[in-house]
Amino acid sequence: GDSVTQMEGPVTLSEEAFLTINCTYTATGYPSLFWYVQYPGEGLQLLLKATKADDKGSNKGFEATYRKETTSFHLEKGSVQVSDSAVYFCALTPYSGAGSYQLTFGKGTKLSVIP
Amino acid sequence: DAGVIQSPRHEVTEMGQEVTLRCKPISGHDYLFWYRQTMMRGLELLIYFNNNVPIDDSGMPEDRFSAKMPNASFSTLKIQPSEPRDSAVYFCASSLSDQRTPDTQYFGPGTRLTVL
Protein backbone atom coordinates (compact mmCIF):
# COMPACT_ATOMS: atom_id res chain seq x y z
CA GLY A 1 0.00 0.00 0.00
CA ASP A 2 0.87 3.66 -0.04
CA SER A 3 3.34 4.92 2.54
CA VAL A 4 5.24 8.05 3.56
CA THR A 5 8.62 8.11 5.27
CA GLN A 6 9.97 11.28 6.81
CA MET A 7 13.07 12.01 8.81
CA GLU A 8 12.79 11.35 12.49
CA GLY A 9 13.08 14.19 14.88
CA PRO A 10 13.26 16.02 16.97
CA VAL A 11 15.07 18.72 15.05
CA THR A 12 16.44 21.68 16.98
CA LEU A 13 17.64 24.77 15.13
CA SER A 14 18.68 28.26 16.00
CA GLU A 15 16.60 31.15 14.73
CA GLU A 16 17.42 32.11 11.11
CA ALA A 17 18.93 28.71 10.36
CA PHE A 18 18.10 26.78 7.18
CA LEU A 19 15.56 23.98 7.51
CA THR A 20 15.22 20.76 5.55
CA ILE A 21 12.86 17.96 6.50
CA ASN A 22 13.15 14.96 4.22
CA CYS A 23 10.11 13.09 2.95
CA THR A 24 9.91 10.16 0.55
CA TYR A 25 6.87 8.21 -0.53
CA THR A 26 5.73 4.95 -2.05
CA ALA A 27 2.55 5.01 -4.10
CA THR A 28 1.02 3.58 -7.21
CA GLY A 29 -0.35 5.90 -9.82
CA TYR A 30 -0.07 9.66 -9.50
CA PRO A 31 -0.42 10.80 -5.90
CA SER A 32 -0.78 14.33 -4.62
CA LEU A 33 1.61 15.41 -1.89
CA PHE A 34 1.08 17.61 1.15
CA TRP A 35 2.81 19.11 4.13
CA TYR A 36 0.65 19.68 7.21
CA VAL A 37 1.78 21.47 10.39
CA GLN A 38 0.53 20.90 13.92
CA TYR A 39 1.14 23.62 16.50
CA PRO A 40 1.03 22.64 20.17
CA GLY A 41 -2.49 21.83 21.34
CA GLU A 42 -4.03 22.33 17.91
CA GLY A 43 -5.20 20.25 14.98
CA LEU A 44 -3.30 19.91 11.74
CA GLN A 45 -3.26 22.71 9.17
CA LEU A 46 -2.35 22.47 5.53
CA LEU A 47 0.99 24.17 4.91
CA LEU A 48 1.42 23.47 1.19
CA LYS A 49 0.64 20.94 -1.49
CA ALA A 50 1.66 19.81 -4.99
CA THR A 51 -0.42 17.71 -7.34
CA LYS A 52 1.96 16.73 -10.14
CA ALA A 53 5.62 16.10 -10.86
CA ASP A 54 7.91 19.16 -10.69
CA ASP A 55 5.21 21.28 -9.04
CA LYS A 56 6.48 23.46 -6.21
CA GLY A 57 4.22 24.18 -3.28
CA SER A 58 4.99 27.23 -1.18
CA ASN A 59 3.53 29.07 1.80
CA LYS A 60 4.84 31.24 4.66
CA GLY A 61 8.41 30.92 3.37
CA PHE A 62 8.25 27.13 3.21
CA GLU A 63 8.74 25.29 -0.08
CA ALA A 64 8.63 21.72 -1.33
CA THR A 65 9.06 20.33 -4.85
CA TYR A 66 7.35 17.16 -6.09
CA ARG A 67 10.19 14.98 -7.41
CA LYS A 68 8.80 11.91 -9.12
CA GLU A 69 12.21 10.52 -10.12
CA THR A 70 13.32 10.35 -6.48
CA THR A 71 9.79 9.96 -5.02
CA SER A 72 10.51 12.83 -2.67
CA PHE A 73 8.85 15.98 -1.35
CA HIS A 74 11.37 17.59 0.99
CA LEU A 75 10.31 20.63 3.01
CA GLU A 76 12.65 23.63 3.12
CA LYS A 77 12.75 27.09 4.64
CA GLY A 78 15.61 29.50 4.31
CA SER A 79 15.36 31.18 7.71
CA VAL A 80 13.29 29.66 10.51
CA GLN A 81 11.66 31.59 13.33
CA VAL A 82 10.71 30.61 16.85
CA SER A 83 7.08 30.66 15.72
CA ASP A 84 7.82 27.80 13.30
CA SER A 85 8.24 25.40 16.22
CA ALA A 86 5.70 22.66 15.56
CA VAL A 87 5.31 19.11 14.29
CA TYR A 88 5.43 18.75 10.50
CA PHE A 89 3.69 15.91 8.66
CA CYS A 90 4.27 14.81 5.10
CA ALA A 91 1.22 13.17 3.52
CA LEU A 92 -0.20 11.90 0.25
CA THR A 93 -3.52 11.12 -1.36
CA PRO A 94 -3.63 8.47 -4.06
CA TYR A 95 -4.97 10.68 -6.84
CA SER A 96 -4.18 13.96 -8.46
CA GLY A 97 -7.63 14.72 -9.78
CA ALA A 98 -10.44 16.63 -8.16
CA GLY A 99 -12.05 15.14 -5.09
CA SER A 100 -11.58 14.33 -1.45
CA TYR A 101 -9.51 11.31 -0.54
CA GLN A 102 -7.99 9.78 2.52
CA LEU A 103 -4.59 11.08 3.56
CA THR A 104 -1.68 8.75 4.33
CA PHE A 105 0.67 10.47 6.78
CA GLY A 106 4.29 10.16 7.75
CA LYS A 107 5.12 9.85 11.45
CA GLY A 108 5.80 13.56 11.85
CA THR A 109 8.94 15.57 12.61
CA LYS A 110 9.05 17.82 15.63
CA LEU A 111 10.89 21.09 15.04
CA SER A 112 12.06 23.31 17.86
CA VAL A 113 13.56 26.70 17.04
CA ILE A 114 15.54 28.41 19.77
CA PRO A 115 16.24 32.16 19.91
CA ASP B 1 -16.17 31.23 10.20
CA ALA B 2 -15.90 28.55 12.88
CA GLY B 3 -13.57 25.68 12.15
CA VAL B 4 -14.15 22.02 12.87
CA ILE B 5 -15.42 21.60 16.41
CA GLN B 6 -14.75 18.53 18.49
CA SER B 7 -15.96 17.60 21.94
CA PRO B 8 -14.89 16.78 24.48
CA ARG B 9 -11.30 18.01 24.24
CA HIS B 10 -10.20 15.54 26.90
CA GLU B 11 -11.83 12.32 28.06
CA VAL B 12 -10.65 10.02 30.81
CA THR B 13 -12.58 6.81 31.31
CA GLU B 14 -12.18 3.35 32.70
CA MET B 15 -11.77 0.18 30.71
CA GLY B 16 -15.09 -1.26 29.65
CA GLN B 17 -16.95 2.03 29.55
CA GLU B 18 -18.61 3.45 26.46
CA VAL B 19 -17.00 6.54 24.97
CA THR B 20 -18.60 8.91 22.45
CA LEU B 21 -16.60 11.51 20.58
CA ARG B 22 -18.37 14.27 18.70
CA CYS B 23 -17.57 16.36 15.67
CA LYS B 24 -19.18 19.32 13.94
CA PRO B 25 -17.68 19.88 10.49
CA ILE B 26 -17.33 23.23 8.78
CA SER B 27 -20.69 24.33 7.42
CA GLY B 28 -21.15 23.34 3.78
CA HIS B 29 -18.38 20.75 3.70
CA ASP B 30 -19.41 17.43 2.20
CA TYR B 31 -16.61 15.15 3.38
CA LEU B 32 -15.83 14.16 6.95
CA PHE B 33 -12.85 12.10 8.14
CA TRP B 34 -11.98 10.51 11.48
CA TYR B 35 -8.28 9.95 12.28
CA ARG B 36 -6.47 8.50 15.27
CA GLN B 37 -3.00 9.62 16.38
CA THR B 38 -0.71 7.53 18.59
CA MET B 39 3.00 7.59 19.20
CA MET B 40 3.42 4.06 17.91
CA ARG B 41 1.31 4.21 14.76
CA GLY B 42 1.20 7.92 13.96
CA LEU B 43 -1.91 9.28 12.22
CA GLU B 44 -4.31 6.68 10.84
CA LEU B 45 -7.55 7.14 8.96
CA LEU B 46 -10.41 5.32 10.65
CA ILE B 47 -13.40 6.14 8.45
CA TYR B 48 -14.69 8.82 6.12
CA PHE B 49 -18.09 10.00 4.92
CA ASN B 50 -19.33 11.78 1.82
CA ASN B 51 -22.68 13.53 2.10
CA ASN B 52 -23.30 11.67 5.38
CA VAL B 53 -22.71 8.25 3.81
CA PRO B 54 -19.76 6.12 4.99
CA ILE B 55 -17.40 5.57 2.06
CA ASP B 56 -14.50 3.64 3.58
CA ASP B 57 -14.39 2.18 7.07
CA SER B 58 -11.51 -0.21 6.47
CA GLY B 59 -9.42 1.64 9.04
CA MET B 60 -11.82 1.00 11.90
CA PRO B 61 -9.79 -1.28 14.16
CA GLU B 62 -12.55 -3.64 15.29
CA ASP B 63 -16.22 -4.01 16.01
CA ARG B 64 -15.91 -2.05 19.21
CA PHE B 65 -15.63 1.08 17.07
CA SER B 66 -18.58 2.60 15.26
CA ALA B 67 -19.18 5.94 13.57
CA LYS B 68 -22.31 7.71 12.43
CA MET B 69 -23.20 10.87 10.60
CA PRO B 70 -26.94 11.47 11.05
CA ASN B 71 -26.82 14.83 9.29
CA ALA B 72 -24.44 17.17 7.53
CA SER B 73 -23.47 19.03 10.69
CA PHE B 74 -22.77 16.24 13.17
CA SER B 75 -20.82 13.01 13.48
CA THR B 76 -19.99 10.66 16.33
CA LEU B 77 -17.31 8.07 16.92
CA LYS B 78 -18.23 5.53 19.56
CA ILE B 79 -16.07 2.98 21.33
CA GLN B 80 -17.87 0.29 23.28
CA PRO B 81 -16.35 -1.22 25.33
CA SER B 82 -13.21 0.90 25.59
CA GLU B 83 -9.77 -0.60 26.26
CA PRO B 84 -6.48 0.98 27.39
CA ARG B 85 -5.00 0.48 23.90
CA ASP B 86 -7.65 2.88 22.56
CA SER B 87 -5.89 5.74 24.32
CA ALA B 88 -4.97 8.24 21.61
CA VAL B 89 -5.84 11.63 20.16
CA TYR B 90 -8.80 11.40 17.80
CA PHE B 91 -9.10 14.01 15.08
CA CYS B 92 -12.04 14.91 12.92
CA ALA B 93 -11.47 16.69 9.60
CA SER B 94 -13.78 18.02 6.91
CA SER B 95 -13.39 19.14 3.31
CA LEU B 96 -15.37 20.59 0.45
CA SER B 97 -15.24 18.95 -2.96
CA ASP B 98 -13.31 21.04 -5.39
CA GLN B 99 -13.60 20.67 -9.10
CA ARG B 100 -9.95 21.24 -9.79
CA THR B 101 -7.54 19.66 -7.35
CA PRO B 102 -7.51 17.30 -4.37
CA ASP B 103 -9.20 19.05 -1.50
CA THR B 104 -7.72 20.57 1.61
CA GLN B 105 -8.82 18.86 4.80
CA TYR B 106 -9.51 21.08 7.80
CA PHE B 107 -8.80 19.47 11.13
CA GLY B 108 -10.41 19.97 14.50
CA PRO B 109 -8.33 20.38 17.66
CA GLY B 110 -8.73 16.70 18.57
CA THR B 111 -10.02 14.74 21.53
CA ARG B 112 -7.40 13.26 23.82
CA LEU B 113 -8.79 9.96 25.12
CA THR B 114 -7.26 8.15 28.07
CA VAL B 115 -8.63 4.73 29.00
CA LEU B 116 -7.46 3.53 32.41
Side-chain angles (χ1 to χ4, degrees), chain B residues 62-108:
Chain B
E62 48 196 277
D63 291 346
R64 298 184 297 106
F65 286 69
S66 62
K68 295 182 179 180
M69 193 165 185
N71 58 62
S73 59
F74 184 64
S75 177
T76 60
L77 178 68
K78 185 176 293 186
I79 308 172
Q80 165 64 14
S82 59
E83 296 183 2
R85 59 193 168 120
D86 302 330
S87 298
V89 180
Y90 292 81
F91 287 103
C92 175
S94 70
S95 65
L96 174 64
S97 295
D98 186 285
Q99 297 304 309
R100 296 163 294 156
T101 62
D103 310 319
T104 297
Q105 294 184 23
Y106 295 84
F107 283 73

Side-chain angles (χ1 to χ4, degrees), chain A residues 35-84:
Chain A
W35 278 100
Y36 276 79
V37 58
Q38 184 179 24
Y39 297 103
E42 300 183 10
L44 282 72
Q45 304 173 24
L46 178 68
L47 181 59
L48 53 84
K49 69 180 181 183
T51 59
K52 62 182 186 294
D54 300 325
D55 266 3
K56 177 185 284 188
S58 61
N59 186 26
K60 298 181 181 179
F62 291 89
E63 293 183 339
T65 300
Y66 188 150
R67 301 288 188 198
K68 192 168 178 61
E69 64 276 14
T70 54
T71 62
S72 65
F73 193 55
H74 304 321
L75 182 68
E76 296 182 337
K77 186 174 185 182
S79 176
V80 293
Q81 305 300 312
V82 173
S83 57
D84 294 326

